[in-house]
Structures are given as structure tokens and as C-alpha cells.
Coordinates of all heavy atoms in Angstrom, one line a residue:
M1 N 90.0 111.8 97.7 CA 91.5 111.9 98.0 C 92.2 110.7 97.5 O 91.7 109.6 97.5 CB 91.7 112.1 99.6 CG 91.1 113.4 100.1 SD 91.7 113.6 101.8 CE 91.1 112.1 102.6
I2 N 93.5 111.0 97.2 CA 94.3 109.9 96.6 C 95.6 109.9 97.4 O 96.3 110.9 97.6 CB 94.6 110.1 95.1 CG1 93.3 110.0 94.4 CG2 95.6 109.1 94.6 CD1 93.4 110.2 92.9
K3 N 96.0 108.7 97.9 CA 97.2 108.5 98.6 C 98.4 108.5 97.7 O 98.4 107.7 96.7 CB 97.2 107.3 99.5 CG 98.4 107.2 100.4 CD 98.3 105.9 101.3 CE 98.7 104.7 100.5 NZ 98.7 103.5 101.3
V4 N 99.4 109.4 97.8 CA 100.5 109.4 96.9 C 101.8 109.1 97.6 O 102.8 108.8 96.9 CB 100.6 110.8 96.2 CG1 99.4 111.0 95.3 CG2 100.7 111.9 97.2
Y5 N 101.8 109.1 98.9 CA 103.1 108.8 99.6 C 102.8 108.4 101.0 O 101.9 108.8 101.6 CB 103.9 110.1 99.6 CG 105.3 110.0 100.1 CD1 106.3 109.3 99.3 CD2 105.7 110.4 101.3 CE1 107.6 109.2 99.8 CE2 107.0 110.3 101.8 CZ 107.9 109.7 101.0 OH 109.2 109.5 101.5
E6 N 103.7 107.5 101.5 CA 103.7 107.2 102.9 C 105.0 106.8 103.4 O 105.9 106.3 102.6 CB 102.6 106.1 103.2 CG 103.0 104.7 102.7 CD 101.9 103.7 102.9 OE1 101.1 103.9 103.8 OE2 102.0 102.6 102.3
S7 N 105.3 107.1 104.6 CA 106.6 106.8 105.2 C 106.5 106.8 106.7 O 105.7 107.5 107.3 CB 107.6 107.8 104.8 OG 108.8 107.7 105.5
F8 N 107.2 105.9 107.3 CA 107.2 105.9 108.8 C 108.0 107.1 109.3 O 107.9 107.4 110.5 CB 107.8 104.6 109.4 CG 106.8 103.5 109.2 CD1 107.1 102.4 108.4 CD2 105.6 103.5 109.9 CE1 106.2 101.3 108.2 CE2 104.7 102.4 109.7 CZ 105.0 101.4 108.9
N9 N 108.7 107.7 108.5 CA 109.5 108.9 108.8 C 108.6 110.2 108.6 O 108.5 110.6 107.4 CB 110.8 109.0 108.1 CG 111.7 110.1 108.5 OD1 111.2 111.1 109.1 ND2 112.9 110.1 108.1
I10 N 108.0 110.7 109.6 CA 107.1 111.8 109.4 C 107.8 113.1 108.8 O 107.1 113.8 108.1 CB 106.4 112.2 110.8 CG1 105.4 113.3 110.6 CG2 107.4 112.6 111.8 CD1 104.2 113.0 109.7
S11 N 109.1 113.3 109.0 CA 109.7 114.4 108.4 C 109.8 114.3 106.9 O 109.8 115.2 106.2 CB 111.1 114.7 109.1 OG 112.0 113.7 108.7
Q12 N 109.9 113.0 106.4 CA 109.9 112.8 105.0 C 108.6 113.1 104.4 O 108.5 113.6 103.3 CB 110.3 111.3 104.7 CG 111.7 111.0 105.0 CD 112.4 110.3 103.8 OE1 111.9 109.2 103.4 NE2 113.4 110.8 103.3
V13 N 107.5 112.7 105.1 CA 106.2 112.9 104.6 C 106.0 114.4 104.6 O 105.4 115.0 103.7 CB 105.1 112.2 105.5 CG1 103.7 112.6 105.1 CG2 105.3 110.7 105.5
G14 N 106.5 115.1 105.6 CA 106.4 116.6 105.7 C 107.1 117.2 104.5 O 106.6 118.2 103.9
Q15 N 108.3 116.7 104.2 CA 109.0 117.3 103.0 C 108.3 117.0 101.7 O 108.3 117.9 100.8 CB 110.4 116.6 103.0 CG 111.4 117.2 104.0 CD 112.7 116.4 104.0 OE1 113.2 116.0 102.9 NE2 113.3 116.3 105.1
A16 N 107.7 115.8 101.6 CA 107.0 115.5 100.4 C 105.8 116.5 100.3 O 105.5 117.0 99.2 CB 106.5 114.1 100.4
E17 N 105.1 116.8 101.4 CA 104.0 117.7 101.4 C 104.4 119.1 101.0 O 103.8 119.7 100.1 CB 103.4 117.8 102.8 CG 102.2 118.7 102.8 CD 101.6 118.9 104.2 OE1 102.4 119.1 105.1 OE2 100.4 118.9 104.3
S18 N 105.6 119.6 101.5 CA 105.9 120.9 101.1 C 106.3 121.0 99.7 O 106.1 122.0 99.0 CB 107.1 121.5 102.0 OG 107.6 120.6 102.9
L19 N 106.9 119.9 99.1 CA 107.3 119.9 97.7 C 106.0 120.0 96.9 O 106.0 120.8 96.0 CB 108.0 118.5 97.4 CG 108.2 118.3 95.9 CD1 109.3 119.2 95.4 CD2 108.7 116.8 95.7
L20 N 105.0 119.2 97.2 CA 103.7 119.3 96.4 C 103.1 120.7 96.6 O 102.6 121.3 95.6 CB 102.8 118.2 96.8 CG 103.3 116.8 96.5 CD1 102.2 115.7 96.8 CD2 103.8 116.6 95.1
N21 N 103.1 121.2 97.8 CA 102.4 122.5 98.1 C 103.1 123.6 97.3 O 102.5 124.5 96.8 CB 102.5 122.8 99.6 CG 101.6 121.9 100.4 OD1 101.7 121.9 101.6 ND2 100.6 121.2 99.8
S22 N 104.5 123.5 97.2 CA 105.2 124.5 96.5 C 104.9 124.5 95.0 O 105.1 125.4 94.3 CB 106.7 124.3 96.7 OG 107.2 123.2 96.0
E23 N 104.3 123.3 94.5 CA 103.9 123.2 93.1 C 102.4 123.5 93.0 O 101.8 123.2 91.9 CB 104.2 121.8 92.6 CG 105.7 121.5 92.5 CD 106.4 122.3 91.4 OE1 105.8 122.6 90.4 OE2 107.6 122.7 91.6
G24 N 101.8 124.0 94.0 CA 100.4 124.3 94.0 C 99.4 123.1 94.1 O 98.2 123.3 93.8
I25 N 99.9 122.0 94.6 CA 99.1 120.8 94.8 C 98.6 120.8 96.2 O 99.4 120.8 97.1 CB 99.8 119.5 94.4 CG1 100.2 119.6 92.9 CG2 99.0 118.3 94.7 CD1 101.0 118.4 92.4
E26 N 97.3 120.7 96.4 CA 96.7 120.7 97.8 C 96.9 119.3 98.4 O 96.6 118.3 97.7 CB 95.3 121.1 97.8 CG 95.1 122.6 97.6 CD 93.6 123.0 97.8 OE1 92.8 122.7 96.9 OE2 93.3 123.5 98.8
T27 N 97.3 119.2 99.6 CA 97.6 117.9 100.2 C 96.9 117.8 101.6 O 96.5 118.8 102.2 CB 99.1 117.7 100.4 OG1 99.6 118.8 101.1 CG2 99.8 117.6 99.1
F28 N 97.0 116.6 102.1 CA 96.4 116.3 103.4 C 97.2 115.2 104.0 O 97.5 114.2 103.3 CB 94.9 115.9 103.2 CG 94.3 115.4 104.4 CD1 93.8 116.2 105.4 CD2 94.2 114.0 104.6 CE1 93.2 115.7 106.5 CE2 93.5 113.5 105.7 CZ 93.0 114.3 106.7
I29 N 97.6 115.3 105.2 CA 98.4 114.2 105.9 C 97.5 113.5 106.9 O 96.9 114.2 107.7 CB 99.7 114.7 106.6 CG1 100.7 115.2 105.5 CG2 100.3 113.6 107.4 CD1 102.0 115.7 106.1
R30 N 97.4 112.2 106.8 CA 96.7 111.4 107.7 C 97.7 110.8 108.7 O 98.8 110.4 108.2 CB 95.9 110.3 107.0 CG 94.6 110.0 107.7 CD 93.9 108.9 106.9 NE 93.8 107.7 107.7 CZ 93.7 106.5 107.1 NH1 93.5 106.4 105.8 NH2 93.6 105.5 107.9
N31 N 97.4 110.6 109.9 CA 98.2 110.0 110.9 C 99.5 110.9 111.2 O 100.5 110.3 111.6 CB 98.7 108.6 110.5 CG 97.5 107.7 110.3 OD1 96.5 107.8 111.0 ND2 97.6 106.7 109.4
E32 N 99.3 112.2 111.0 CA 100.5 113.0 111.2 C 101.0 112.9 112.7 O 102.2 113.0 112.9 CB 100.1 114.5 111.0 CG 101.3 115.4 111.1 CD 101.0 116.8 110.5 OE1 99.8 117.1 110.1 OE2 101.9 117.6 110.3
F33 N 100.1 112.7 113.6 CA 100.6 112.7 115.0 C 100.6 111.3 115.6 O 100.4 111.1 116.7 CB 99.7 113.6 115.8 CG 99.7 115.0 115.3 CD1 98.6 115.5 114.7 CD2 100.9 115.8 115.4 CE1 98.6 116.8 114.1 CE2 100.9 117.1 114.9 CZ 99.8 117.6 114.2
A34 N 100.7 110.4 114.6 CA 100.6 109.0 115.0 C 101.7 108.5 116.0 O 101.4 107.6 116.8 CB 100.7 108.1 113.7
S35 N 102.8 109.2 116.0 CA 103.9 108.7 116.9 C 103.5 108.6 118.3 O 104.0 107.9 119.1 CB 105.2 109.5 116.7 OG 104.9 110.8 116.9
S36 N 102.5 109.5 118.7 CA 102.1 109.6 120.1 C 101.3 108.4 120.5 O 101.1 108.1 121.7 CB 101.3 110.9 120.4 OG 100.2 110.9 119.6
V37 N 100.8 107.6 119.5 CA 99.9 106.5 119.9 C 100.6 105.2 119.5 O 100.0 104.1 119.5 CB 98.5 106.6 119.3 CG1 97.7 107.7 119.9 CG2 98.6 106.7 117.8
M38 N 101.9 105.3 119.0 CA 102.6 104.1 118.6 C 102.5 103.1 119.8 O 102.7 103.4 120.9 CB 104.0 104.4 118.3 CG 104.2 105.1 117.0 SD 104.4 103.9 115.6 CE 104.8 105.1 114.3
G39 N 102.3 101.8 119.5 CA 102.3 100.8 120.5 C 100.9 100.5 121.0 O 100.6 99.5 121.6
E40 N 100.0 101.4 120.7 CA 98.6 101.2 121.2 C 97.7 100.7 120.0 O 96.7 100.1 120.3 CB 98.0 102.5 121.7 CG 98.7 102.9 123.0 CD 98.2 104.3 123.5 OE1 97.1 104.7 123.2 OE2 99.0 105.0 124.1
V41 N 98.1 101.0 118.8 CA 97.3 100.5 117.7 C 98.3 99.8 116.7 O 99.5 100.0 116.8 CB 96.6 101.7 116.9 CG1 95.5 102.2 117.8 CG2 97.6 102.7 116.6
P42 N 97.7 98.9 115.9 CA 98.6 98.2 114.9 C 99.5 99.2 114.1 O 99.0 100.2 113.7 CB 97.7 97.5 114.0 CG 96.4 97.3 114.9 CD 96.4 98.5 115.7
F43 N 100.7 98.8 113.9 CA 101.7 99.7 113.3 C 101.3 100.2 112.0 O 101.4 101.4 111.7 CB 103.0 99.0 113.2 CG 104.2 99.8 113.1 CD1 104.5 100.8 114.0 CD2 105.1 99.7 112.0 CE1 105.6 101.6 113.9 CE2 106.2 100.5 111.9 CZ 106.5 101.5 112.9
V44 N 100.7 99.4 111.2 CA 100.4 99.7 109.8 C 99.3 100.8 109.8 O 99.3 101.6 108.8 CB 99.9 98.5 109.0 CG1 98.6 98.0 109.6 CG2 99.7 98.8 107.5
E45 N 98.5 101.0 110.8 CA 97.5 102.0 110.8 C 98.0 103.3 111.2 O 97.3 104.3 111.0 CB 96.4 101.6 111.7 CG 95.6 100.4 111.2 CD 94.4 100.1 112.1 OE1 94.0 100.9 112.9 OE2 93.9 98.9 112.0
V46 N 99.2 103.4 111.7 CA 99.7 104.7 112.1 C 100.8 105.3 111.3 O 101.4 106.3 111.6 CB 100.2 104.7 113.6 CG1 99.1 104.3 114.5 CG2 101.4 103.7 113.8
C47 N 101.1 104.6 110.1 CA 102.0 105.1 109.2 C 101.5 106.4 108.6 O 100.4 106.5 108.0 CB 102.3 104.1 108.1 SG 103.5 104.6 106.9
P48 N 102.3 107.6 108.8 CA 101.8 108.8 108.2 C 101.7 108.7 106.7 O 102.5 108.2 106.0 CB 102.9 109.8 108.5 CG 103.6 109.2 109.7 CD 103.5 107.7 109.5
Q49 N 100.5 109.2 106.2 CA 100.2 109.1 104.7 C 99.9 110.4 104.2 O 99.2 111.2 104.8 CB 99.0 108.1 104.5 CG 99.3 106.7 105.1 CD 98.0 105.9 105.1 OE1 96.9 106.4 105.4 NE2 98.2 104.6 104.8
L50 N 100.4 110.7 103.0 CA 100.2 111.9 102.3 C 99.1 111.7 101.2 O 99.3 110.9 100.3 CB 101.5 112.4 101.7 CG 101.4 113.8 100.9 CD1 101.0 114.9 101.9 CD2 102.8 114.1 100.3
F51 N 98.1 112.5 101.2 CA 97.0 112.4 100.2 C 97.0 113.7 99.4 O 97.4 114.8 99.9 CB 95.6 112.3 100.9 CG 95.4 110.9 101.5 CD1 95.9 110.7 102.8 CD2 94.7 110.0 100.9 CE1 95.7 109.5 103.4 CE2 94.5 108.7 101.5 CZ 95.0 108.5 102.8
I52 N 96.5 113.6 98.2 CA 96.2 114.9 97.4 C 94.7 115.0 97.3 O 94.0 114.0 97.3 CB 96.9 114.9 96.0 CG1 96.4 113.7 95.2 CG2 98.4 114.9 96.2 CD1 96.9 113.8 93.7
L53 N 94.2 116.2 97.3 CA 92.8 116.4 97.3 C 92.2 116.3 95.9 O 91.0 115.9 95.7 CB 92.5 117.8 97.9 CG 93.0 118.0 99.3 CD1 92.5 119.4 99.8 CD2 92.7 116.9 100.2
N54 N 93.0 116.7 94.9 CA 92.5 116.8 93.5 C 93.0 115.6 92.7 O 94.2 115.5 92.4 CB 92.9 118.1 92.9 CG 92.3 118.3 91.5 OD1 91.7 117.3 90.9 ND2 92.4 119.5 91.0
A55 N 92.2 114.7 92.3 CA 92.6 113.5 91.6 C 93.3 113.8 90.3 O 94.1 113.1 89.8 CB 91.4 112.5 91.4
A56 N 92.9 114.9 89.7 CA 93.5 115.3 88.4 C 95.0 115.6 88.5 O 95.7 115.6 87.5 CB 92.7 116.5 87.8
E57 N 95.4 115.9 89.7 CA 96.8 116.2 89.9 C 97.7 115.0 90.3 O 98.9 115.1 90.6 CB 97.0 117.3 91.0 CG 96.4 118.6 90.5 CD 96.3 119.6 91.7 OE1 96.2 119.2 92.8 OE2 96.5 120.8 91.4
E58 N 97.1 113.8 90.3 CA 97.8 112.6 90.7 C 99.1 112.4 89.9 O 100.1 112.1 90.5 CB 96.9 111.4 90.7 CG 97.6 110.1 91.2 CD 96.7 108.9 91.0 OE1 95.6 109.0 90.5 OE2 97.2 107.8 91.4
E59 N 99.0 112.4 88.6 CA 100.1 112.1 87.8 C 101.3 113.0 88.1 O 102.4 112.6 88.2 CB 99.7 112.1 86.3 CG 100.7 111.4 85.4 CD 100.3 111.4 84.0 OE1 99.1 111.4 83.7 OE2 101.1 111.4 83.1
R60 N 101.0 114.3 88.2 CA 102.0 115.3 88.4 C 102.6 115.1 89.8 O 103.8 115.2 90.0 CB 101.4 116.7 88.3 CG 102.5 117.7 88.1 CD 101.9 119.0 87.4 NE 102.5 120.1 88.0 CZ 101.9 120.9 88.9 NH1 100.6 120.7 89.1 NH2 102.5 121.9 89.4
A61 N 101.8 114.8 90.8 CA 102.2 114.6 92.1 C 103.2 113.4 92.2 O 104.2 113.5 92.8 CB 101.0 114.4 93.0
R62 N 102.8 112.3 91.5 CA 103.7 111.2 91.5 C 105.0 111.4 90.8 O 106.1 110.9 91.2 CB 103.0 110.0 90.8 CG 101.8 109.5 91.6 CD 101.3 108.1 91.2 NE 100.1 107.7 91.9 CZ 100.1 107.2 93.1 NH1 101.3 107.0 93.8 NH2 99.0 106.9 93.7
E63 N 105.0 112.2 89.8 CA 106.3 112.6 89.1 C 107.2 113.4 90.1 O 108.4 113.1 90.2 CB 106.0 113.4 87.9 CG 105.7 112.6 86.7 CD 105.3 113.4 85.5 OE1 105.6 114.6 85.4 OE2 104.6 112.9 84.6
L64 N 106.6 114.3 90.8 CA 107.4 115.1 91.7 C 107.9 114.3 92.8 O 109.1 114.4 93.2 CB 106.5 116.2 92.3 CG 106.1 117.4 91.3 CD1 104.9 118.2 91.9 CD2 107.3 118.3 91.1
L65 N 107.1 113.4 93.3 CA 107.5 112.5 94.4 C 108.6 111.5 94.0 O 109.5 111.1 94.7 CB 106.3 111.8 95.0 CG 105.4 112.7 95.8 CD1 104.1 112.0 96.2 CD2 106.1 113.4 97.0
A66 N 108.5 111.1 92.7 CA 109.5 110.2 92.2 C 110.9 110.8 92.3 O 111.9 110.2 92.7 CB 109.2 109.7 90.8
S67 N 111.0 112.1 91.8 CA 112.3 112.8 91.9 C 112.7 113.0 93.3 O 113.9 113.0 93.7 CB 112.2 114.1 91.1 OG 111.3 114.9 91.7
F68 N 111.7 113.2 94.2 CA 112.0 113.5 95.6 C 112.6 112.2 96.2 O 113.6 112.2 97.0 CB 110.7 113.8 96.3 CG 110.7 113.8 97.8 CD1 111.3 114.8 98.5 CD2 110.2 112.7 98.5 CE1 111.4 114.8 99.9 CE2 110.2 112.7 99.9 CZ 110.8 113.7 100.6
E69 N 112.0 111.0 95.9 CA 112.5 109.8 96.5 C 113.9 109.4 96.0 O 114.6 108.6 96.6 CB 111.5 108.7 96.3 CG 110.3 108.8 97.2 CD 109.3 107.6 97.1 OE1 109.0 107.2 95.9 OE2 108.9 107.1 98.1
N70 N 114.2 109.9 94.8 CA 115.5 109.5 94.2 C 116.6 110.3 94.6 O 117.8 110.1 94.3 CB 115.4 109.5 92.6 CG 114.5 108.4 92.1 OD1 114.4 107.3 92.8 ND2 113.9 108.5 91.0
Q71 N 116.3 111.3 95.4 CA 117.4 112.2 95.9 C 118.3 111.3 96.8 O 117.8 110.6 97.7 CB 116.9 113.4 96.7 CG 116.4 114.5 95.8 CD 115.8 115.6 96.7 OE1 115.8 115.6 97.9 NE2 115.1 116.5 96.0
P72 N 119.6 111.4 96.6 CA 120.5 110.7 97.5 C 120.4 111.2 98.9 O 120.4 112.4 99.1 CB 121.9 110.9 96.9 CG 121.8 112.2 96.2 CD 120.3 112.3 95.7
T73 N 120.3 110.3 99.9 CA 120.3 110.8 101.3 C 121.8 111.0 101.7 O 122.6 110.2 101.4 CB 119.7 109.8 102.2 OG1 120.2 108.5 102.0 CG2 118.2 109.8 102.0
Q74 N 122.1 112.1 102.4 CA 123.4 112.4 102.7 C 123.8 111.6 104.0 O 123.0 111.6 105.0 CB 123.6 113.9 102.9 CG 123.5 114.7 101.6 CD 123.8 116.1 101.8 OE1 123.0 116.8 102.5 NE2 124.9 116.6 101.3
A75 N 124.9 111.0 104.0 CA 125.4 110.2 105.1 C 125.8 111.2 106.2 O 126.3 112.3 106.0 CB 126.5 109.3 104.7
D76 N 125.7 110.7 107.4 CA 126.3 111.5 108.6 C 127.8 111.6 108.4 O 128.4 110.7 107.8 CB 126.0 110.7 109.9 CG 124.5 110.7 110.2 OD1 123.7 111.4 109.5 OD2 124.1 110.1 111.2
W77 N 128.3 112.6 108.9 CA 129.8 112.8 108.8 C 130.4 113.2 110.1 O 129.7 113.6 111.1 CB 130.1 113.9 107.7 CG 129.4 115.2 107.9 CD1 128.1 115.5 107.6 CD2 130.0 116.4 108.5 NE1 127.9 116.8 108.0 CE2 129.0 117.4 108.4 CE3 131.3 116.7 108.9 CZ2 129.3 118.7 108.9 CZ3 131.6 118.0 109.3 CH2 130.5 119.0 109.3
Q78 N 131.7 113.0 110.2 CA 132.4 113.3 111.5 C 133.2 114.5 111.3 O 133.9 114.7 110.4 CB 133.2 112.1 111.9 CG 133.8 112.2 113.3 CD 134.5 111.0 113.7 OE1 135.1 110.2 112.9 NE2 134.6 110.8 115.0
C79 N 133.1 115.4 112.3 CA 133.8 116.7 112.3 C 135.3 116.4 112.4 O 135.7 115.7 113.3 CB 133.3 117.6 113.4 SG 134.3 119.1 113.5
G80 N 136.1 116.9 111.5 CA 137.5 116.7 111.6 C 138.2 117.5 112.7 O 139.4 117.3 113.0
Q81 N 137.5 118.5 113.2 CA 138.1 119.3 114.2 C 137.9 118.9 115.6 O 138.8 118.7 116.4 CB 137.6 120.8 114.1 CG 138.3 121.8 115.0 CD 138.2 123.2 114.5 OE1 138.9 123.5 113.5 NE2 137.5 124.0 115.1
C82 N 136.6 118.6 115.9 CA 136.3 118.2 117.3 C 135.8 116.7 117.4 O 135.6 116.2 118.5 CB 135.2 119.1 117.9 SG 133.6 118.9 117.2
G83 N 135.6 116.1 116.2 CA 135.2 114.6 116.3 C 133.8 114.4 116.5 O 133.4 113.2 116.6
S84 N 132.9 115.4 116.5 CA 131.5 115.2 116.7 C 130.8 114.5 115.5 O 131.2 114.8 114.4 CB 130.8 116.5 117.0 OG 131.3 117.1 118.2
E85 N 129.8 113.7 115.8 CA 129.0 113.1 114.7 C 128.0 114.2 114.3 O 127.3 114.7 115.1 CB 128.3 111.9 115.1 CG 129.1 110.7 115.3 CD 129.5 110.1 113.9 OE1 128.7 110.2 113.0 OE2 130.6 109.5 113.8
V86 N 127.9 114.5 113.0 CA 127.0 115.5 112.5 C 126.0 114.9 111.5 O 126.4 114.1 110.7 CB 127.8 116.7 111.8 CG1 126.8 117.8 111.4 CG2 128.9 117.2 112.7
D87 N 124.7 115.2 111.6 CA 123.7 114.7 110.7 C 124.0 115.1 109.3 O 124.4 116.2 109.0 CB 122.3 115.2 111.1 CG 121.8 114.5 112.4 OD1 122.4 113.5 112.7 OD2 120.8 114.9 112.9
G88 N 123.8 114.1 108.4 CA 124.1 114.3 106.9 C 123.7 115.7 106.3 O 124.5 116.3 105.7
P89 N 122.4 116.1 106.5 CA 122.0 117.3 105.8 C 122.8 118.6 106.3 O 122.8 119.6 105.6 CB 120.5 117.5 106.2 CG 120.1 116.1 106.6 CD 121.4 115.5 107.2
F90 N 123.4 118.6 107.4 CA 124.0 119.8 107.9 C 125.4 120.0 107.3 O 126.2 119.1 107.2 CB 124.2 119.8 109.5 CG 122.8 119.8 110.2 CD1 122.3 118.6 110.7 CD2 122.1 120.9 110.2 CE1 121.1 118.6 111.3 CE2 120.9 121.0 110.9 CZ 120.3 119.8 111.4
G91 N 125.7 121.2 106.9 CA 127.0 121.5 106.3 C 128.0 122.0 107.2 O 129.1 122.4 106.8
Q92 N 127.6 122.1 108.5 CA 128.5 122.7 109.5 C 128.4 121.9 110.8 O 127.3 121.5 111.2 CB 128.1 124.1 109.7 CG 129.1 125.0 110.3 CD 128.7 126.5 110.3 OE1 127.6 126.8 109.9 NE2 129.5 127.4 110.8
C93 N 129.5 121.8 111.5 CA 129.5 121.1 112.8 C 128.6 121.8 113.8 O 128.7 123.0 114.0 CB 130.9 120.9 113.3 SG 130.9 120.1 114.9
W94 N 127.7 121.1 114.5 CA 126.8 121.7 115.5 C 127.6 122.1 116.7 O 127.2 122.9 117.5 CB 125.7 120.8 115.8 CG 126.2 119.4 116.3 CD1 126.4 118.3 115.5 CD2 126.6 119.0 117.6 NE1 126.9 117.3 116.3 CE2 127.0 117.7 117.6 CE3 126.6 119.7 118.8 CZ2 127.5 117.0 118.7 CZ3 127.1 119.0 120.0 CH2 127.5 117.7 119.9
S95 N 128.7 121.5 116.9 CA 129.5 121.6 118.1 C 130.5 122.8 118.0 O 130.5 123.7 118.9 CB 130.2 120.3 118.5 OG 131.0 120.5 119.6
C96 N 131.3 122.8 117.0 CA 132.4 123.8 116.9 C 132.3 124.7 115.7 O 133.1 125.6 115.6 CB 133.8 123.1 116.9 SG 134.1 122.2 115.4
G97 N 131.3 124.4 114.8 CA 131.1 125.3 113.7 C 132.0 125.0 112.5 O 131.9 125.7 111.5
Q98 N 132.8 124.0 112.5 CA 133.7 123.6 111.4 C 132.8 123.3 110.2 O 131.8 122.6 110.4 CB 134.5 122.4 111.8 CG 135.4 121.9 110.8 CD 136.7 122.7 110.6 OE1 136.9 123.7 111.3 NE2 137.6 122.3 109.8
L99 N 133.2 123.7 109.0 CA 132.5 123.4 107.8 C 132.7 121.9 107.4 O 133.8 121.4 107.7 CB 132.8 124.3 106.7 CG 132.4 125.7 106.9 CD1 133.0 126.6 105.7 CD2 130.9 125.9 107.0
R100 N 131.7 121.3 106.8 CA 131.9 119.9 106.3 C 133.0 119.9 105.3 O 133.1 120.7 104.4 CB 130.6 119.5 105.6 CG 130.6 118.1 105.0 CD 129.8 118.0 103.7 NE 128.4 118.3 104.0 CZ 127.5 117.3 104.2 NH1 127.9 116.0 104.2 NH2 126.3 117.5 104.4
P101 N 133.9 118.9 105.4 CA 135.0 118.7 104.5 C 134.4 118.4 103.1 O 133.4 117.7 103.0 CB 135.8 117.5 105.0 CG 134.9 116.8 105.9 CD 133.9 117.8 106.5
A102 N 135.0 119.0 102.0 CA 134.4 118.8 100.7 C 134.6 117.4 100.2 O 135.5 116.7 100.6 CB 135.1 119.7 99.7
Ligands
ZN201 ZN1 133.2 120.1 115.3

């Protein structure tokens, strides 16, 4: 197995995994449930890590992940109608349904 990605943000590791899976690359996540033991073991050992099973796919996996990491992260935005803070990826206010301003 070859480690191709790691992040303390498990949802990012999950997104990286689905990206590789959608390209037919088999993956394995180590420390997926690490957050439940945070504080009991050294931090570095519980960082979720994404591995690929087939070493021949390493180069392709790294290319895919490079484009994944270069995606701009969307900033949180404030709803103009009700004033709620909305998480960046959402295009609609969770509170009142107002669409994100263009
Ligand atoms: Zn709103």
C-alpha cells in the first residue's frame, strides 16, 4: 500500500477517497475513526491517511489529488435575508432558503 494523502479533516480524506474510487482506483483509509481516540494517543498517529492498494496507480492518484487540493475552498457566507452564517459549499441558506448571492 502507498500513502497518497493525509489530512486532519476526515471529510477531506473521504472526498479524496471518493475521487480516486470514481476513477477506479482502490483505496484504503487508516485512522478513519481516529477522532474518537483523540487525546489518548499522540496526534500524529491518528491523522486519517488515504492509501492506494495498487502501486502502479500511484502516479495517476497523485495527479488526481493534486487537482483536488488545488480546488478553491469556498468561504462561508452570510444570508442577506435572515443574516444566518452559511457554510461555504451550500448554495442556499439553511435557515430561510434564500439562495446565495452571486
Ligand atoms: Zn437566511
Side-chain angles (χ1 to χ4, degrees):
M1 292 192 303
I2 295 178
K3 186 177 79 178
V4 290
Y5 186 74
E6 67 183 345
S7 169
F8 285 115
N9 184 342
I10 183 62
S11 70
Q12 288 230 305
V13 178
Q15 282 174 35
E17 179 185 44
S18 5
L19 174 68
L20 295 188
N21 289 165
S22 72
E23 296 289 328
I25 298 176
E26 286 189 285
T27 55
F28 170 82
I29 292 183
R30 212 179 115 203
N31 298 330
E32 183 166 10
F33 304 108
S35 54
S36 61
V37 292
M38 287 271 185
E40 294 172 27
V41 289
F43 202 55
V44 65
E45 289 183 19
V46 298
C47 181
Q49 298 170 324
L50 180 65
F51 291 81
I52 58 171
L53 304 187
N54 185 350
E57 293 173 330
E58 180 184 3
E59 196 176 331
R60 200 157 139 255
R62 290 195 187 280
E63 278 174 19
L64 289 165
L65 291 173
S67 60
F68 168 76
E69 286 187 311
N70 288 335
Q71 279 175 11
T73 50
Q74 289 184 296
D76 292 352
W77 54 282
Q78 188 173 28
C79 175
Q81 183 154 295
C82 72
S84 298
E85 284 286 327
V86 187
D87 285 347
F90 295 104
Q92 197 172 4
C93 176
W94 54 268
S95 175
C96 71
Q98 178 82 355
L99 294 177
R100 176 214 296 268

